[in-house]
Amino acid sequence: MGGNATVAVEATTNRPSSASIVQTLGGGSGIDTSALVQSLVDAQFESRNAALAKREETLTAQISAAATHKSNITGFSTALSTLSRSGNLATQPTSSNSGIVNVTRLSGAVLTDVNARVEVRQLAAAQTASTAPVTDKAAPVGQGTLTLTFGTASVADGAMSAFMPGAGASVDIIIDASNSSLQGIAAAINARNAGVTASILTDSAGSRLVIKGGSGEARAFTLEATETPGEEGLSALNIGIGASGTTIGSAAADAIVAIDGVAIKRDSNTIADLVPGVKLDLVSAQIGVPVNIGKTLPTNALLQAVSDFVDTYNEVFAALNKDLDPVTGSLKQDIAAKALKRQLQQLTLAPLASGAGGAPTTLSQIGVRTNRDGSITLDSTALSRALVNSPDAVEKMFAAPSGAATTGNGLAAALGAIAAEAANTTRGLGASEISYTKAKSDIATDKTDALAKADALRTRMTRQFASMDAKVAAYKSTQTFIENQVKAWNSQD
């Protein structure tokens, strides 16, 4: 009887262990141990998972905020710099007759005093010469050497009557069997880059070689052939005194311009060194017709620019201030964001130009006021008064940056310095963005680690409860066997 009991217990406790633990959990105890294990694991890791999720959410908001404000200030700076460099906020020169003289402001120039009378007596011109037409531009002309010489010349009725060589060395152009056609000769001349250009002009009469020099009296030229014996023909291309095969279409000449009655010469029709800050483009010669050169102030453009600056500043500042709210702000503890706010608040008092004679140098002095909440407003009356009394000073504040200096170099330079600091990846919002992104990456690693630990704990507890359940099942089996034996004994009595 004892042996049978032993066999029964062994049969119960040594059931196969290859069956799924999860499927057999609770079979002996009657408890849903699978759900119990899951609840215990969830309870242990719930607070940590919640903390990681909250931290990840915070970092995501911080990354977005840092990138947004860096982009805002950079875009603000770029837009202002583009406007400043466009010249629309600068005094522009004027011409009383653009059909004779056209004027443009030189880049970076400040036109403080523009008042001149210009009389164009002669336009600068380039010498052009053409050969007699030939039937076939691909046919050989001759071989030898063409020598190009620059200097000054006298030309009348298409012929050169006198020539004085300049100080520059002559240029030799080799013509052989490979380039002896009109086309080949033109290509050989152009390949030398000697100061003339050659082209082929074709019409019903045939093809001509046309050679053109640079404008200016001293850029007249001659072309003289030294022919290869037996391959004669190049002399037909001679340009100069006594040349019979070519015609000079226009003579080299300097421009003659009288500035306030004083005649000067220039070798180009574009002149940038007569009226300070102004480029003159000579359009036509009109002897005895003076052209008045003056200036026009960008008053309306500056009024609009200051107004637009105030509006954009307030948008950028309000967005930044919201994220710096000490309670709800995503960047409430961000040092770079706080520095950006401080720099923006100091902008209205920063010296933007070198003042002389009491001229305004800061935004606050031309009507841009700072409110208690950090936003700014525009006093249009004060700005209009500054534009009347000190137009040059206001213009300097909005002038395009020049050089590496920022202080006293205009508003665009000052705002550009703030934007550069914000984008800095060592101490600016650029650095904050990098730091937050790395921290978020670390959160992902922590979440993976927590998940692995939760799985390990679930596996360990599942095995522990499986072992317990097996023991309970064995005890129940023994109990049932004993109860049945007792019932059997009682029935025998």
Side-chain angles (χ1 to χ4, degrees):
M1 183 169 59
N4 291 337
T6 302
V7 171
V9 171
E10 288 178 351
T12 303
T13 57
N14 292 332
R15 63 176 180 268
S17 60
S18 60
S20 170
I21 293 177
V22 175
Q23 291 176 346
T24 59
L25 282 177
S29 64
I31 301 172
D32 187 354
T33 51
S34 178
L36 178 59
V37 168
Q38 186 63 47
S39 296
L40 291 172
V41 172
D42 290 345
Q44 182 164 339
F45 285 90
E46 181 178 7
S47 60
R48 185 178 182 188
N49 288 335
L52 289 174
K54 179 62 177 177
R55 177 62 176 153
E56 184 176 37
E57 181 182 347
T58 299
L59 287 169
T60 299
Q62 289 173 323
I63 293 170
S64 176
T68 295
H69 299 304
K70 184 180 70 173
S71 175
N72 284 350
I73 192 63
T74 300
F76 188 13
S77 172
T78 300
L80 181 60
S81 180
T82 300
L83 179 61
S84 297
R85 295 184 187 281
S86 71
N88 294 332
L89 304 182
T91 296
Q92 298 296 329
T94 60
S95 169
S96 63
N97 192 332
S98 59
I100 298 176
V101 181
N102 198 19
V103 293
T104 52
R105 170 180 164 270
L106 292 174
S107 178
V110 178
L111 306 183
T112 56
D113 186 16
V114 180
N115 184 14
R117 287 167 64 85
V118 177
E119 179 190 351
V120 181
R121 297 177 179 176
Q122 178 177 290
L123 293 178
Q127 176 181 313
T128 60
S130 60
T131 65
V134 298
T135 303
D136 186 0
K137 60 185 176 182
V141 174
Q143 298 179 33
T145 300
L146 294 173
T147 301
L148 181 68
T149 305
F150 292 95
T152 57
S154 296
V155 176
D157 299 326
M160 186 178 294
S161 58
F163 181 78
M164 178 64 71
S170 298
V171 177
D172 288 336
I173 303 164
I174 306 301
I175 305 299
D176 55 25
S178 67
N179 59 0
S180 63
S181 68
L182 215 59
Q183 289 177 320
I185 292 169
I189 292 172
N190 291 332
R192 292 289 283 153
N193 292 317
V196 298
T197 56
S199 60
I200 304 295
L201 181 62
T202 302
D203 59 12
S204 60
S207 297
R208 297 173 176 83
L209 175 67
V210 179
I211 303 176
K212 182 177 182 178
S215 67
E217 185 179 84
R219 293 190 176 94
F221 61 89
T222 61
L223 190 68
E224 185 177 359
T226 302
E227 298 179 319
T228 299
E231 300 293 344
E232 292 82 1
L234 281 183
S235 60
L237 308 182
N238 281 354
I239 300 169
I241 301 172
S244 59
T246 58
T247 301
I248 297 178
S250 66
D254 282 341
I256 301 177
V257 180
I259 300 293
D260 295 329
V262 179
I264 56 92
K265 287 185 176 183
R266 291 291 185 271
D267 61 9
S268 172
N269 291 317
T270 297
I271 305 173
D273 61 350
L274 291 181
V275 180
V278 180
K279 182 180 73 171
L280 306 178
D281 288 306
L282 309 184
V283 179
S284 64
Q286 299 285 339
I287 298 175
V289 181
V291 177
N292 295 318
I293 307 300
K295 66 178 183 178
T296 180
L297 301 177
T299 304
N300 292 333
L302 284 170
L303 283 168
Q304 186 62 53
V306 178
S307 177
D308 291 344
F309 171 82
V310 169
D311 291 342
T312 306
Y313 175 99
N314 285 335
E315 290 177 6
V316 171
F317 186 84
L320 178 63
N321 211 31
K322 180 180 179 182
D323 280 330
L324 282 172
D325 184 281
V327 177
T328 62
S330 299
L331 302 178
K332 58 188 176 184
Q333 295 179 334
D334 192 285
I335 296 175
K338 292 179 180 179
L340 174 58
K341 178 181 177 180
R342 185 170 57 255
Q343 290 168 341
L344 286 173
Q345 289 176 312
Q346 295 170 347
L347 196 55
T348 59
L349 300 176
L352 303 175
S354 55
T361 61
T362 67
L363 290 176
S364 63
Q365 292 173 335
I366 64 171
V368 180
R369 317 294 189 197
T370 301
N371 303 317
R372 288 189 175 183
D373 62 357
S375 63
I376 58 177
T377 55
L378 174 61
D379 183 341
S380 299
T381 301
L383 176 58
S384 298
R385 184 167 55 250
L387 286 169
V388 171
N389 297 332
S390 305
D392 294 339
V394 178
E395 183 178 331
K396 286 180 181 178
M397 291 187 194
F398 285 83
S402 58
T406 54
T407 301
N409 201 16
L411 180 59
L415 191 60
I418 294 175
E421 184 69 15
N424 190 286
T425 55
T426 302
R427 58 184 178 273
L429 285 173
S432 297
E433 190 177 0
I434 292 172
S435 176
Y436 296 143
T437 301
K438 182 181 183 304
K440 186 176 179 180
S441 177
D442 292 341
I443 290 291
T445 302
D446 291 343
K447 289 175 70 175
T448 301
D449 181 60
L451 181 61
K453 288 181 178 179
D455 287 341
L457 178 60
R458 184 181 299 106
T459 300
R460 185 169 67 253
M461 294 182 69
T462 297
R463 288 173 178 170
Q464 290 173 344
F465 276 98
S467 175
M468 177 202 71
D469 199 68
K471 292 178 180 180
V472 170
Y475 295 151
K476 283 187 175 182
S477 178
T478 300
Q479 180 183 5
T480 300
F481 174 78
I482 293 173
E483 288 175 348
N484 290 335
Q485 288 293 97
V486 170
K487 289 178 181 179
W489 294 337
N490 291 334
S491 63
Q492 291 175 0
D493 293 339

